[in-house]
Amino acid sequence: MHHLVNRRDLDFLLYECLHAEQLCERERYESHDKDTFEAILDTAYRLAKDVFAPHAEKSDHNEPHFDGTTVTIIPEIKEALNAYHEAGLSLAHWDESHGGMQLPWVIVQACTGMFMAANAPTAAYPFLTTAAANLLGAFGSEEQKQTYLPPMLDGRFFGTMCLSEPDVGSSLGDLTTRAEPVGDGTYRITGQKMWISGGEHNLSDNIIHMVLARLPDAPPGTKGISLFVVPKRRVNSDGSLGDLNNVTLAGLNHKMGYRGTINTLLHFGEHGDCLGTMVGEPNKGLRAMFHMMNEARIGVGYGAVMMGYAGYLHSLEYAKERPQGRLPGQKDPTQPQVKLIEHADVKRMLLAQKSYVEGGLALCLYAAHLVDEQHSHPEESVRKEAGTLLDILTPICKAWPSDYCLKANDLAIQVLGGAGYTRDYPVERYYRDNRLNPIHEGTNGIQGLDLLGRKAMQNQGEALQLLLQKMQETIGQASAHDELNEFAKALGKACERAGQTTMTLAGAAMQGNISLFLANATVYLNMMGHIVMAWTWLWQALQAIQQLAQANEHDKPFYQGKLQACQYFYRWELPQIYPQADLLESLDDTCLNMETACF
């Protein structure tokens, strides 16, 4: 299991930090217990290891091919997806009334991570479908739910999200795809959509596209976008498949990684009527689509964590087994070589990876825990608080792991040296796959704009204040332990500086200088991401120090490793926020005022 995730670490986060078993006390999850959770985690691991992981390399070397008529995808992908659906994992979090297991989201996400680590490109197909089904569950009409949800949940229909266009990129306010009312409740969809993962294949009976488009009388910009569900094949009233719906594959995009996930340019309505039905209200499509996008953004960050985690475990194993060189004090060349892991600089690279991926896993599972709090906690105030925290953490969950767990993959390659740069080991593939995640679902620059321009400022900074308050609670608890005092003080100082920096930036905004306020938003995102990650390490260390005194000899190294990784992050990583804060508070305009002609 060590090449997918450290199960001891997963159990630590689920049960010792997040107390997931306590969710079984709630009415929604009362039919479950810890044994149920363990059984589903074991099932997910077995499928990820035995069915997803074995074809990851083949999928990478044999990406989908389009000959102008037919798309060819290696058969192992369909076999893996069939096994996934047969195990009921696509229904894991859905209500029992839908045939689901009604499991907590944090347990579902723990399972999801194993598939991401084993073979993220294959896992992308059901995960996109899950997000599309969740969107329909939240915003779809009863007819749409009855038509599309059952086959999507049992794996007969797959889903996509169709946002961008060839000339639009991330600027969705400029999209031009049109939706003309037919008069019978359907809409005639015309236009192109670009970068559509899972847009065409033979892996399912049908593909259900979630398409952003404009009505004829729509206002300009993002306030004029509606959302439509557009099937590849029309679905008859009895659930049977009808005619093709004139969604045409125009070509494939060939990416440096994620090669097993087909990525497409689609034409809607080029060769006849392409019909869809509206999801939600006219001109409010982005509100509905953000339900899917925010889930996908956290999923992107989580995928980055798990690819970083898998690379870390591969490099850790290599470093433990590979003999190379001798320590500086060993002058006798006849003495045996030491293992790579004995060298201080290799330990540095492994510690950095450990701090990034185990911290990232803690953050993403905490976000999943917030989803459970938001939807199942009996107290309304707790549900509201969880939603507020999840809102401000979403851009951080997406961006920080996709930057720093990619960096973990880079370090994994470095630990393996020349071997890491070859295809004989999977770390170079993990790097190529992971490099997509800083771009996926809104570039990290967009996440910075979202965090600073919206999440940190809305409602007089309510979400940011709540987040800093939660950190202060952890600081207070950690301060009672001498071993954690250094870290508690450091996080307290960092929180104070974050508040000060945010106020300085807000001052520029209040003076009307919006461009300068947002010019260095990515630096703000990195600063806040590091502070949040330091917080996740402090609450992990707090649990570790409490357990260490009573731990058996087998568990002691695990807890000591948590404390050492916490120390690394606080001494090596957290101090990076101060030059970032200095730059932000100076309201530096270097990048903003660079003239185009000067490049």
Side-chain angles (χ1 to χ4, degrees):
M1 191 164 196
H2 60 283
H3 282 168
L4 300 182
V5 68
N6 179 349
R7 182 60 180 269
R8 182 66 186 86
D9 186 29
L10 193 60
D11 288 347
F12 170 73
L13 292 170
L14 287 175
Y15 305 123
E16 297 175 51
C17 294
L18 297 174
H19 307 291
E21 71 280 7
Q22 294 179 6
L23 291 169
C24 300
E25 299 170 7
R26 299 179 187 174
E27 181 180 357
R28 177 170 176 77
Y29 308 120
E30 63 185 3
S31 63
H32 299 301
D33 55 24
K34 186 178 178 181
D35 289 341
T36 309
F37 297 166
E38 292 295 283
I40 192 67
L41 289 168
D42 289 343
T43 298
Y45 163 67
R46 185 175 63 254
L47 282 174
K49 177 178 72 72
D50 295 342
V51 186
F52 277 65
H55 70 270
E57 183 177 358
K58 181 178 179 180
S59 171
D60 184 58
H61 294 167
N62 298 273
E63 60 187 313
H65 171 69
F66 179 47
D67 62 8
T69 303
T70 304
V71 167
T72 302
I73 297 177
I74 64 168
E76 289 87 344
I77 292 178
K78 184 172 177 58
E79 294 165 8
L81 298 179
N82 287 343
Y84 179 88
H85 291 295
E86 287 169 7
L89 289 167
S90 57
L91 283 156
H93 72 288
W94 279 83
D95 292 354
E96 292 173 356
S97 61
H98 285 283
M101 300 185 201
Q102 210 159 294
L103 285 164
W105 188 242
V106 70
I107 299 298
V108 174
Q109 288 299 87
C111 294
T112 295
M114 298 181 196
F115 294 98
M116 291 174 169
N119 189 334
T122 292
Y125 295 101
F127 296 163
L128 273 169
T129 303
T130 294
N134 289 344
L135 186 158
L136 281 178
F139 291 93
S141 67
E142 286 306 311
E143 182 179 357
Q144 288 169 336
K145 292 176 186 178
Q146 292 173 12
T147 301
Y148 297 113
L149 282 183
M152 291 176 78
L153 295 177
D154 67 18
R156 289 181 288 126
F157 292 4
F158 282 10
T160 75
M161 55 193 305
C162 299
L163 289 77
S164 187
E165 299 173 1
D167 297 323
V168 169
S170 298
S171 183
L172 296 180
D174 295 313
L175 67 81
T176 59
T177 298
R178 289 180 61 82
E180 300 272 353
V182 175
D184 60 358
T186 64
Y187 294 79
R188 189 176 293 110
I189 310 297
T190 54
Q192 299 179 348
K193 291 294 179 180
M194 184 64 147
W195 309 117
I196 310 307
S197 294
E200 175 58 40
H201 52 70
N202 60 356
L203 302 173
S204 61
D205 296 340
N206 206 353
I207 303 173
I208 309 305
H209 302 288
M210 300 295 161
V211 182
L212 293 180
R214 292 187 184 281
L215 296 170
D217 58 351
T222 57
K223 294 181 179 179
I225 298 175
S226 300
L227 175 62
F228 300 85
V229 55
V230 182
K232 172 185 172 180
R233 281 190 176 275
R234 296 171 189 167
V235 182
N236 298 320
S237 58
D238 63 357
S240 62
L241 294 181
D243 295 334
L244 287 169
N245 197 24
N246 292 300
V247 181
T248 308
L249 175 62
L252 302 185
N253 301 306
H254 299 282
K255 297 183 176 182
M256 67 180 275
Y258 257 84
R259 292 177 177 176
T261 306
I262 191 168
N263 192 273
T264 62
L265 167 62
L266 299 178
H267 287 178
F268 293 82
E270 184 180 37
H271 302 297
D273 284 352
C274 175
L275 302 178
T277 56
M278 185 181 296
V279 180
E281 300 177 49
N283 302 323
K284 295 184 179 180
L286 270 186
R287 176 175 174 266
M289 184 58 91
F290 264 110
H291 186 280
M292 187 174 183
M293 289 171 64
N294 284 333
E295 181 179 328
R297 284 174 174 176
I298 295 175
V300 164
Y302 188 27
V305 167
M306 298 314 297
M307 283 182 262
Y309 209 130
Y312 161 60
L313 294 175
H314 277 284
S315 69
L316 176 62
E317 180 182 66
Y318 187 89
K320 287 180 175 180
E321 295 178 352
R322 164 79 175 187
Q324 186 164 319
R326 294 163 187 84
L327 300 180
Q330 295 176 323
K331 304 299 183 183
D332 184 356
T334 66
Q335 291 296 308
Q337 296 186 76
V338 299
K339 297 296 192 290
L340 268 176
I341 200 168
E342 297 299 325
H343 295 285
D345 197 54
V346 174
K347 291 181 179 180
R348 172 190 65 82
M349 291 187 284
L350 292 171
L351 258 176
Q353 290 182 72
K354 181 180 175 72
S355 76
Y356 299 155
V357 303
E358 292 185 11
L361 181 59
L363 174 61
C364 290
L365 290 180
Y366 176 69
H369 164 75
L370 289 175
V371 173
D372 287 320
E373 294 289 90
Q374 187 180 21
H375 295 293
S376 71
H377 198 281
E379 296 181 21
E380 182 181 356
S381 61
V382 177
R383 296 196 300 269
K384 181 178 183 297
E385 182 180 274
T388 301
L389 283 171
L390 189 62
D391 202 35
I392 193 168
L393 286 174
T394 293
I396 295 172
C397 286
K398 189 277 178 185
W400 194 95
S402 62
D403 274 338
Y404 283 89
C405 293
L406 174 66
K407 187 175 180 180
N409 287 132
D410 181 84
L411 290 168
I413 292 173
Q414 192 70 18
V415 168
L416 269 68
Y421 195 60
T422 69
R423 295 179 187 173
D424 298 324
Y425 294 87
V427 290
E428 65 86 28
R429 170 167 49 82
Y430 280 122
Y431 181 90
R432 286 187 289 104
D433 283 347
N434 215 348
R435 185 58 187 84
L436 180 56
N437 287 317
I439 298 171
H440 249 162
E441 303 307 329
T443 64
N444 285 358
I446 288 173
Q447 307 307 314
L449 294 171
D450 181 41
L451 178 64
L452 178 57
R454 293 169 56 195
K455 305 299 177 56
M457 297 295 165
Q458 62 191 7
N459 299 326
Q460 290 75 51
E462 175 191 10
L464 179 60
Q465 291 173 34
L466 178 59
L467 179 60
L468 294 176
Q469 174 192 322
K470 290 295 181 183
M471 293 185 193
Q472 289 295 339
E473 291 173 6
T474 306
I475 290 167
Q477 295 167 359
S479 297
H481 299 271
D482 292 341
E483 302 92 333
L484 303 182
N485 233 343
E486 170 192 343
F487 312 136
K489 289 179 179 177
L491 183 58
K493 181 182 176 185
C495 288
E496 183 179 346
R497 189 64 185 275
Q500 173 185 319
T501 302
T502 304
M503 290 299 294
T504 300
L505 293 168
M510 287 187 286
Q511 292 172 14
N513 201 338
I514 302 299
S515 293
L516 185 58
F517 162 57
L518 293 174
N520 303 313
T522 298
V523 178
Y524 183 82
L525 174 68
N526 289 338
M527 179 190 76
M528 289 304 303
H530 255 53
I531 294 172
V532 167
M533 197 52 51
W535 175 45
T536 71
W537 271 112
L538 188 58
W539 53 257
Q540 287 188 79
L542 182 60
Q543 292 302 318
I545 205 73
Q546 291 170 345
Q547 297 292 334
L548 190 57
Q550 58 194 25
N552 58 40
E553 292 304 312
H554 179 264
D555 275 342
K556 280 184 178 178
F558 172 80
Y559 293 122
Q560 290 165 341
K562 285 291 183 184
L563 295 173
Q564 197 76 0
C566 178
Q567 177 175 302
Y568 170 85
F569 198 88
Y570 272 83
R571 293 184 180 178
W572 285 68
E573 297 288 339
L574 186 59
Q576 296 175 23
I577 73 160
Y578 294 103
Q580 293 172 332
D582 289 342
L583 178 67
L584 289 164
E585 289 176 23
S586 73
L587 298 175
D588 181 71
D589 61 359
T590 301
C591 300
L592 179 65
N593 290 337
M594 176 65 174
E595 294 292 339
T596 303
C598 296
F599 281 102

